[in-house]
């Protein structure tokens, strides 16, 4: 019987999205609050001491908090209409791994911490890995406080509503100094382990990736009373932008580009929009490749905008260069597991953010569908159990007296 699956089942009704399917759990919203309370209760039931850092990240400590801690965990929020495993599998596996180690009588020689990072997906405020970026200082705190969700609520207002002082947001050297290494378990977002026939693997690298907001400005007008020749319709260059993203990505080996969200204003069926906001997600094996994709998309969108009598403005909302996980830690983790496949990933993670400051590694659990960020995301119970076993083995090795 998998130790992780019952813990996941306890979350099955939290943030269920009846319209999109799957789950919509976003940072500092009601579902997120419920999930954070659940984690706190589970951790305290295991005798772990829980605290919240200045950026809203949760830490549950096995042993006295201090430098050199072995840290594991993930996140509990989701993309809109996301799956049940992305994020929560890493959190419940951390709890289950503690259970496994305690059942064996293991006593860590180093502090062990379980962490839940805030707003990893960026589903509410648009910036992925919000909690970890604030922690390491790669996201400016003043800029972060002013971020707004689709309803106009600022991050400052949202965190204040949870009892956190928004003035404390920002780089947290005190919390970061405690982390000796970080190992994040995650469901694989792709079919690498399926094709390799392996239930568990380790991460090698993360593609360079970012998000850009492209706003097309036109002239709002009546859909029936405005002749085609008199229009400055920003939806036309928006459509060109979507097609340009596919062409631009195809021109760079291994690149990906996606326009996953379009918001016309005012959004009426019989109204020519005055503006259209489009969010571009671009990824490639290195920074120059990613930048080339974005430049090509922007150039095509600008040309199409000018042809329609519209203008274009572009804002980079987030960017992260290629991450190569710590080779030494990866070897230690792989060695503790008797050798498992190593593979790259196109998905961003909190582990990738922390990699610039502390040694980090990732474990992947096989996803038989290869689908992620969608309701079909899945991991079999036996593979979840293999992940818990692997994580417990890694934690025992890293936090044991000989390491």
């Amino acid at each position: 019987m998998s130790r992780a699956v019952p813990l996941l089942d306890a979350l099955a009704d939290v943030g269920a999205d009846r319209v999109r399917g799957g789950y919509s759990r976003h940072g500092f919203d009601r579902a997120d609050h419920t999930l954070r309370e659940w984690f706190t209760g589970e951790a305290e039931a295991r005798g772990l001491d829980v605290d919240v850092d200045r950026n809203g990240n949760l830490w549950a400590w096995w042993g006295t908090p201090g430098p050199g801690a072995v840290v594991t965990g993930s996140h509990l929020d989701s993309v809109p209409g996301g799956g049940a495993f992305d994020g929560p599998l890493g959190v419940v596996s951390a709890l289950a791994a503690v259970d496994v180690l305690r059942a064996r009588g293991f006593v860590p020689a180093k502090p062990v911490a379980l962490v839940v990072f805030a707003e990893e997906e960026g589903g509410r405020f648009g910036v992925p890995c919000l909690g970890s970026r604030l922690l390491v200082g790669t996201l400016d705190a003043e800029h972060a406080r002013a971020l707004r969700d689709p309803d106009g609520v600022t991050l400052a207002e949202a965190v204040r509503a949870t009892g956190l002082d928004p003035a404390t947001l920002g780089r947290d050297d005190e919390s970061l100094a405690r982390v000796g290494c970080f190992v994040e378990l995650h469901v694989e977002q792709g079919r690498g382990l399926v094709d390799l026939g392996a239930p568990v693997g380790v991460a090698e690298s993360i593609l360079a990736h970012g998000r850009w907001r492209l706003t097309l400005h036109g002239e709002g007008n009546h859909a029936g009373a405005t002749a085609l020749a008199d229009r400055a319709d920003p939806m036309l260059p928006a459509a060109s932008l979507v097609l340009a993203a596919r062409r631009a990505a195809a021109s760079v080996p291994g690149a990906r580009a996606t326009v996953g969200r379009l918001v016309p204003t005012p959004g009426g069926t019989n109204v020519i929009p005055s503006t259209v906001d489009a969010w571009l997600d671009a990824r490639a094996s290195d920074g120059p490749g990613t930048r080339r994709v974005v430049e090509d998309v922007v150039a095509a969108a600008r040309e199409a905008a000018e042809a329609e009598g519209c203008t274009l403005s572009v804002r980079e909302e987030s960017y992260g260069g290629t991450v190569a996980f710590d080779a030494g830690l990866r070897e230690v983790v792989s060695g503790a597991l008797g050798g498992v496949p190593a593979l790259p990933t196109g998905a961003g993670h909190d582990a990738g953010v922390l990699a610039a400051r502390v040694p980090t590694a990732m474990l992947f659990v096989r996803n038989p569908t290869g689908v992620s960020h969608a309701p079909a995301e899945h991991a079999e119970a036996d593979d979840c159990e293999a992940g818990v076993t692997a994580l417990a083995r890694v934690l025992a090795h890293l936090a044991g007296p000989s390491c």
Side-chain angles (χ1 to χ4, degrees), residues 5 13 24 26 28 41 47 102 112 131 137 154 165 172 210 225 230 244 255 270 288 346 360 383 403:
V5 170
D13 294 328
S24 293
H26 306 313
F28 310 106
R102 281 196 163 149
V112 173
T154 66
D165 183 358
D172 186 354
D230 296 333
N270 59 345
T360 61
D383 288 349
C403 190

Side-chain angles (χ1 to χ4, degrees), residues 61-72:
W61 290 91
W62 183 9
T64 303
V70 177
V71 181
T72 187

Side-chain angles (χ1 to χ4, degrees), residues 37-366:
E37 282 194 331
W38 171 86
F39 173 77
T40 299
E42 289 290 334
E44 290 177 344
R46 290 164 171 79
L48 308 182
D49 296 322
V50 181
D51 61 56
V52 184
D53 69 19
R54 57 193 291 177
N55 296 301
N57 304 309
L58 288 173
W59 302 78
W61 290 91
W62 183 9
T64 303
V70 177
V71 181
T72 187
S74 192
H75 62 95
L76 290 170
D77 65 302
S78 75
V79 299
F85 294 81
D86 181 353
L89 181 61
V91 174
V92 302
S93 295
L95 291 166
V98 169
D99 294 341
V100 169
L101 293 175
R102 281 196 163 149
R104 295 176 185 167
F106 176 79
V107 178
K110 300 175 183 177
V112 173
L114 282 55
V115 64
V116 176
F117 285 109
E119 181 77 346
E120 192 268 354
E121 297 290 6
R124 181 174 182 185
F125 293 101
V127 176
C129 300
L130 184 69
S132 56
R133 287 179 191 271
L134 285 167
L135 171 69
V136 303
T138 55
L139 176 61
D140 178 73
E142 184 175 356
H143 172 72
R145 281 188 284 268
L147 292 170
R148 292 184 180 273
D149 71 7
D151 294 322
V153 178
T154 66
L155 177 62
E157 292 167 338
V159 299
R160 186 181 292 114
T162 68
L164 187 69
D165 183 358
T168 68
L169 295 176
R171 179 167 167 162
D172 186 354
D173 289 327
E174 181 180 355
S175 293
L176 197 60
R178 295 172 172 177
V179 182
C181 64
F182 176 55
V183 179
E184 181 175 4
L185 181 144
H186 205 281
V187 67
E188 189 193 1
Q189 295 168 294
R191 293 184 50 83
L193 292 173
V194 173
D195 295 339
L196 292 169
V200 176
V202 297
E204 201 170 44
S205 60
I206 296 176
L207 297 182
H209 63 283
R211 297 181 185 185
W212 288 262
R213 180 174 179 171
L214 288 75
T215 302
L216 293 146
H217 308 268
E219 181 179 63
N221 215 327
H222 195 289
T226 311
L228 297 183
D230 296 333
R231 298 185 179 204
D233 184 351
M235 190 59 80
L236 270 68
S240 296
L241 184 162
V242 174
L243 297 173
R246 174 61 66 89
R247 292 195 303 270
S251 71
V252 177
R256 298 93 192 257
T258 306
V259 179
R261 184 179 170 208
L262 283 173
V263 178
T265 301
T269 303
N270 59 345
V271 180
I272 300 167
S274 55
T275 63
V276 176
D277 287 297
W279 280 264
L280 172 69
D281 179 300
R283 307 172 190 238
S285 59
D286 56 27
T290 304
R291 296 291 185 186
R292 177 183 158 191
V293 169
V294 175
E295 289 169 2
D296 288 352
V297 174
V298 169
R302 198 176 302 282
E303 181 180 356
E306 291 174 356
E308 181 63 17
C310 299
T311 60
L312 171 71
S313 60
V314 181
R315 185 175 75 198
E316 181 180 294
E317 292 194 333
S318 66
Y319 178 74
T322 306
V323 174
F325 287 107
D326 187 272
L329 181 59
R330 185 173 71 245
E331 289 178 7
V332 169
V333 169
S334 183
L337 301 179
V340 293
L343 58 163
T345 177
H349 301 280
D350 292 307
V353 174
L354 266 64
R357 297 290 301 277
V358 298
T360 61
M362 290 193 71
L363 295 175
F364 288 138
V365 171
R366 178 167 51 193

